[in-house]
Amino acid sequence: MLLDNHNRHINYLRLAVTDRCNLRCNYCMPSEGINFVKNDKLLSINELKELSSILVGQGIDKIRITGGEPFVRKELMVLLRHLSKLKDLKDISVTTNATLIGPYIDELKELGIKNINVSLDAIDRTTFERITRRDQYDTVYENLVKLISEGFNVRINFIVLEGQNEQDIISILDIMKHYPVAVRFLEEMPFNGGSKSFKTIKWDYKVILEHISTVFPNYKKLVSPKTSTSINYQIEGHKSTFGLIPSFSRTFCGTCNRLRITATGDVITCLYGKPKANLRDLLRQAKSNKKVEEAILTAIGARAKTGFEAQQEHASVFDSSMTSIGG
Ligand code: SAM
Ligand code: SF4
């Protein structure tokens, strides 16, 4: 079992498989993209397989595949097939923009992958295109509905962006009320590759809830797992649920069970902190897994208590983009 220095049980790995993406969401990166790393700096599929096996051996039992956009990575399915055979891995999930997932839906189902998070920050096409800077609305919507109807446990991630998509908060709830899906509203974080900076946000989780309750006053709070980052609710008469994720307010650090590994092998123990080791270099140099295991244990043994503490570690944290941190 992996325990950090604050006695938190770390069992959840967010593994980024690429820093590339086919969208250019304006809260994630500038329109020209970021300096994507060279191919040889990315963990290879074999290295991703090896690292996952090491971490599952150490006590990770849930892996979420993220990026960049996971489905731009060639041979992603090779990795997912490997993960599906790890018997101590109880949960494999994927976070995706749902533009490229279509051809893989059947195989994902066959592999027993049930949990898919789809990023969708607008239900209105023009707003979607303005935010993502790409014309992919129909494909995303079609894939989203297909995933729901195929029985996946789908959660929509909707970042509330001041001046951009507030008007869609109610509209998305109104449309999704017919579907068994969780719509989760996230606070915007300043990880956008340096295109804008801010120290406060208008749309924090309390303001989002107040806004929803003016239109839908009849909702009940749901019981959520202790390590959940979302506070979850259901509106009377809706098939869907909704959640609020205080990603900027950071109210959930006390029960944080996550570890992140970026596409280049950096170990990140808090989104707001500095990378703590690079496992790619260790994997390439070492003849045994021991050094990799030790580096993971050392990083987990020195975690900041909260995101606010982690943020003190480096002044340039807010120059990063979520596509390279691995959201
Ligand atoms: N491309 C995939 C996607 O968009 O779902 C996976 C990678 S993306 C970086 C992972 C998650 O991070 C997405 O839900 C995205 O909306 C979220 N994200 C990206 N930039 C963010 C920001 N500045 N603040 C809050 N969430 C952000
Ligand atoms: Fe791509 Fe996801 Fe970032 Fe949007 S949020 S640009 S889909 S990595």
Side-chain angles (χ1 to χ4, degrees):
M1 185 198 276
L2 292 167
L3 278 182
D4 77 3
N5 46 320
H6 304 285
N7 223 25
R8 291 173 294 198
H9 177 200
I10 310 299
N11 66 330
Y12 175 14
L13 170 67
R14 296 179 70 102
L15 182 62
V17 295
T18 181
D19 64 343
R20 273 77 158 163
C21 189
N22 56 335
L23 300 187
R24 289 287 179 273
C25 304
N26 62 22
Y27 55 83
C28 180
M29 55 172 116
S31 56
E32 66 279 14
I34 55 158
N35 285 327
F36 298 110
V37 299
K38 294 219 169 78
N39 273 337
D40 66 338
K41 300 276 183 227
L42 294 174
L43 292 165
S44 68
I45 289 291
N46 277 340
E47 286 165 345
L48 286 162
K49 282 161 68 176
E50 207 175 330
L51 260 185
S52 315
S53 298
I54 293 173
L55 278 142
V56 171
Q58 287 183 302
I60 292 292
D61 62 16
K62 168 172 179 177
I63 297 185
R64 174 170 294 283
I65 298 297
T66 181
E69 171 48 37
F71 289 92
V72 303
R73 180 76 200 239
K74 283 198 195 98
E75 298 192 294
L76 171 68
M77 295 311 289
V78 175
L79 173 65
L80 293 178
R81 283 177 212 132
H82 170 79
L83 295 184
S84 71
K85 291 194 196 108
L86 298 178
K87 77 171 178 14
D88 292 328
L89 185 58
K90 296 193 201 118
D91 181 352
I92 308 165
S93 3
V94 182
T95 298
T96 174
N97 62 29
T99 53
L100 305 168
I101 196 172
Y104 305 103
I105 292 179
D106 290 345
E107 189 174 2
L108 291 169
K109 213 172 164 182
E110 278 158 30
L111 292 177
I113 296 172
K114 294 197 186 70
N115 299 319
I116 309 281
N117 286 5
V118 172
S119 299
L120 179 65
D121 310 294
I123 203 70
D124 169 72
R125 176 194 304 274
T126 312
T127 310
F128 174 91
E129 289 179 4
R130 203 178 297 132
I131 293 172
T132 62
R133 302 180 174 116
R134 294 291 183 271
D135 166 20
Q136 287 289 320
Y137 182 82
D138 290 336
T139 311
V140 171
Y141 199 79
E142 204 177 290
N143 285 333
L144 170 70
V145 172
K146 182 152 189 223
L147 285 163
I148 299 170
S149 51
E150 290 288 334
F152 286 87
N153 171 24
V154 180
R155 303 190 299 188
I156 295 172
N157 284 350
F158 180 117
I159 321 292
V160 183
L161 305 160
E162 186 179 352
Q164 297 200 66
N165 62 359
E166 298 109 317
Q167 67 288 353
D168 280 21
I169 298 174
I170 300 301
S171 324
I172 198 167
L173 289 172
D174 234 352
I175 291 179
M176 292 303 155
K177 70 182 175 200
H178 304 293
Y179 299 97
V181 64
V183 183
R184 295 147 14 119
F185 298 100
L186 283 86
E187 295 174 348
E188 182 179 12
M189 297 181 282
F191 300 124
N192 46 49
S195 46
K196 67 177 170 179
S197 69
F198 48 89
K199 289 205 166 61
T200 56
I201 47 169
K202 174 180 168 199
W203 288 94
D204 68 21
Y205 69 107
K206 293 182 194 152
V207 175
I208 301 169
L209 184 60
E210 267 167 38
H211 178 70
I212 293 172
S213 61
T214 56
V215 180
F216 298 115
N218 297 324
Y219 60 83
K220 63 169 192 252
K221 194 167 179 183
L222 302 173
V223 178
S224 305
K226 212 175 95 209
T227 52
S228 172
T229 52
S230 59
I231 314 158
N232 300 302
Y233 304 88
Q234 188 157 33
I235 296 166
E236 206 175 276
H238 287 204
K239 272 194 187 162
S240 55
T241 62
F242 76 91
L244 306 171
I245 306 193
S247 28
F248 187 75
S249 307
R250 287 162 266 179
T251 54
F252 43 63
C253 301
T255 54
C256 178
N257 62 344
R258 294 139 191 250
L259 183 71
R260 289 183 156 78
I261 297 186
T262 70
T264 57
D266 278 347
V267 181
I268 298 195
T269 55
C270 172
L271 256 184
Y272 286 84
K274 256 187 175 165
K276 292 293 153 53
N278 187 277
L279 303 180
R280 176 200 61 219
D281 296 342
L282 286 176
L283 270 176
R284 290 181 189 177
Q285 287 152 15
K287 303 226 170 4
S288 78
N289 292 338
K290 207 159 180 321
K291 284 226 158 65
V292 177
E293 286 169 4
E294 279 167 9
I296 294 166
L297 290 178
T298 306
I300 288 178
R303 286 183 86 213
K305 195 166 181 188
T306 66
F308 295 100
E309 187 183 310
Q311 191 182 323
Q312 310 302 319
E313 290 169 1
H314 64 147
S316 60
V317 59
F318 294 142
D319 294 340
S320 322
S321 157
M322 281 293 269
T323 197
S324 40
I325 303 172

